[in-house]
Amino acid sequence: MKKNMKMQKKKFKIYSPKIKEECGVFGISNSSDASTLTALGLHALQHRGQEGCGIVSFDGKQYHSEKRYGLVGDNFNKEKVLKKLPGNYAIGHNRYSTTGGTALRNIQPFFADTNAGGIGVAHNGNLTNAITLRNELVQEGAIFYTTSDTEVIVQLIAKSKRSKTIDKIVDAIFRVQGGYALVMMTKNTLIGLRDPYGIRPLVIGKLKNSYVFASETCALDIIGAKFVREVENGEIVYVENDELISLKPFSPKKVRPCIFEYIYFSRPDSILNGKTAYEYRKNYGEQLAREDDLEADIVVPVPDSGNAAALGYAQEKNIPFDLGLIRNHYVGRTFIEPSQKIRSLGVKLKLNANLSVIKDKSIILIDDSLVRGTTSHKIVKMLYNAGAKEVHVRIASPEIKYPDFYGVDMPTKKELLASDKSIKEICDFINAKSLKYLTIDGLYKAMGFDKRNNTYPQLTDHYFTGEYPVKIIDELGEEKVTQLSLLSTGSNN
Ligand code: AMP
């Protein structure tokens, strides 16, 4: 029996073929500066992905595409490049660095010719049935050029028998599952859509006669566009003849945006459901302070992820807030390097202890989340080495016990520190004097939900609860994946 279970486990091990996306998308209609504004929008969304970026434009006759490795500011900063992207319509994409799969051909937007004309596609999120669909499409003769699940969507659009592109898109979207936000462009239409639960974000903005679709409102601010509203969950919006049209082809579902956008992922100045991410995070810190009777000399944030929560915590408790860690701004996020070895080096590259602030002090160190524990482990050590008397770690979200399959780069369950360890064991691992997390009730309370009024929960919060709104279909062994050569090479070309 035991042996049988072992075999089953091996067979149904979750296969993650390097196609996770955690990206930023942007699109604009009807502007003579479409590609420049897209570059600016992508620049504001840079925190959502630093591995590569791309823009596709349409000039009335022809599509143009430029895709590059690295940052938007390093690639789309010259007139020479932007001149290669003429036209009044453009979409763009920032790609997140994930393990393997760093091929230029995986950088978006993707472009395809269908029998209804060309289509550009930029995708943020992760499909939970991409491998299943991919295998079906390959069986039917499809040829895949990339390892990205976005190409599955493109193939489904191309295969649809409907004649209008928008109907082809509806056909395709009915077949995919997961968390996704898409911005697409045909020669006369800009299209934006969000998955049925609204797990991944997408907002609508207006700039003169142009409509803008973007992952976050900070991308509207940078170009001076006015925020119109969020794209609703399960809604397809498109701009045709300067008019915004809305379709809701799915049966209505309760909106359940990803709670990690609120906790970590969105830029602090972006507005999510009426409030800035900064306000939510400060509230988490205040709530954490209310749940904690610890006293100490100073509250120190892990920059920049813990800034807002630490400020909230310090103000609530009336303990001085101080910058005990100084950040080098010229390195990317800690997660940017795929291997664990480099990732732990990343913390040192990024942060240094501020001696004058921390020497002989008892410190409450605050971060937004604890995933593998790499950051906290290194920082606690750094603070003690620099003369701190006591380091207490406080995390402004609950224990992350369950992995993500909807587009946030989370490690497997095994790598998640809280998946099989008690708080005491985690505290020992990071060598802190004490450790405390915000409770799940506290998290929701800080967001304005109230259990007693029955408005509690739910966002997409499986990280803490293990409750996944969308089923994970792709529980396949590697042997079940066709065209594996492309998937398993990491395809570095
Ligand atoms: P870890 O060092 O593995 O415990 O990760 C926690 C740190 O990484 C915190 O400083 C978070 O702000 C940050 N973080 C959390 N989730 C993510 C993510 N999905 N991608 C990149 N960084 C993250």
Side-chain angles (χ1 to χ4, degrees), residues 190-343:
L190 179 73
I191 303 136
L193 64 92
R194 253 176 119 180
D195 63 82
Y197 289 101
I199 297 175
R200 299 264 66 88
L202 194 66
V203 298
I204 307 170
K206 189 97 209 275
L207 178 69
K208 294 185 195 138
N209 295 326
S210 308
Y211 276 100
V212 182
F213 300 149
S215 297
E216 293 180 36
T217 60
C218 64
L220 307 180
D221 296 339
I222 196 173
I223 58 166
K226 210 174 105 257
F227 170 69
V228 176
R229 64 176 175 90
E230 292 190 12
V231 175
E232 287 178 26
N233 54 315
E235 184 185 23
I236 302 179
V237 285
Y238 61 101
V239 185
E240 218 171 56
N241 303 323
D242 295 340
E243 220 192 299
L244 187 74
I245 302 160
S246 161
L247 289 179
K248 286 189 185 157
F250 299 106
S251 56
K253 295 215 161 44
K254 188 176 178 304
V255 61
R256 290 186 62 178
C258 170
I259 206 159
F260 233 72
E261 292 284 347
Y262 292 70
I263 292 170
Y264 166 79
F265 214 54
S266 297
R267 222 171 79 163
D269 52 336
S270 282
I271 296 169
L272 304 163
N273 196 19
K275 272 194 219 159
T276 59
Y278 179 82
E279 285 173 276
Y280 288 110
R281 291 167 197 171
K282 210 168 156 204
N283 290 347
Y284 301 155
E286 285 169 12
Q287 179 63 27
L288 181 62
R290 285 193 283 270
E291 294 180 1
D292 194 10
D293 53 15
L294 179 68
E295 289 301 326
D297 297 326
I298 49 169
V299 172
V300 168
V302 173
D304 293 326
S305 49
N307 287 354
L311 203 55
Y313 186 101
Q315 285 176 357
E316 179 66 25
K317 278 226 160 142
N318 223 353
I319 299 176
F321 170 95
D322 219 334
L323 300 179
L325 292 159
I326 301 300
R327 178 173 171 189
N328 179 340
H329 285 272
Y330 303 95
V331 279
R333 291 185 166 200
T334 318
F335 272 46
I336 199 164
E337 293 300 341
S339 88
Q340 180 64 20
K341 215 166 124 197
I342 304 289
R343 198 180 281 120

Side-chain angles (χ1 to χ4, degrees), residues 22 96 260 264-265 302 305 333-335 367-376 408-410:
E22 184 176 17
Y96 188 81
F260 233 72
Y264 166 79
F265 214 54
V302 173
S305 49
R333 291 185 166 200
T334 318
F335 272 46
D367 205 355
D368 67 311
S369 58
L370 196 145
V371 184
R372 294 177 175 87
T374 320
T375 311
S376 303
V408 170
D409 184 22
M410 280 279 159

Side-chain angles (χ1 to χ4, degrees), residues 296-432:
D297 297 326
I298 49 169
V299 172
V300 168
V302 173
D304 293 326
S305 49
N307 287 354
L311 203 55
Y313 186 101
Q315 285 176 357
E316 179 66 25
K317 278 226 160 142
N318 223 353
I319 299 176
F321 170 95
D322 219 334
L323 300 179
L325 292 159
I326 301 300
R327 178 173 171 189
N328 179 340
H329 285 272
Y330 303 95
V331 279
R333 291 185 166 200
T334 318
F335 272 46
I336 199 164
E337 293 300 341
S339 88
Q340 180 64 20
K341 215 166 124 197
I342 304 289
R343 198 180 281 120
S344 51
L345 192 68
V347 177
K348 274 200 223 150
L349 290 174
K350 196 160 85 170
L351 297 172
N352 198 15
N354 190 3
L355 284 182
S356 63
V357 168
I358 57 168
K359 191 149 175 31
D360 298 325
K361 298 273 176 43
S362 61
I363 296 168
I364 303 177
L365 176 72
I366 304 217
D367 205 355
D368 67 311
S369 58
L370 196 145
V371 184
R372 294 177 175 87
T374 320
T375 311
S376 303
H377 179 81
K378 291 273 164 198
I379 293 176
V380 169
K381 197 166 164 197
M382 196 184 273
L383 293 176
Y384 274 125
N385 285 346
K389 196 166 76 189
E390 286 175 5
V391 182
H392 303 267
V393 174
R394 295 294 181 267
I395 303 293
S397 61
E399 297 102 288
I400 299 177
K401 296 185 173 172
Y402 303 93
D404 180 72
F405 300 100
Y406 308 135
V408 170
D409 184 22
M410 280 279 159
T412 56
K413 194 165 193 299
K414 213 171 73 200
E415 290 171 287
L416 291 170
L417 212 53
S419 74
D420 63 350
K421 286 189 181 50
S422 66
I423 294 188
K424 160 95 181 55
E425 285 168 327
I426 299 171
C427 185
D428 290 347
F429 174 81
I430 60 173
N431 282 319

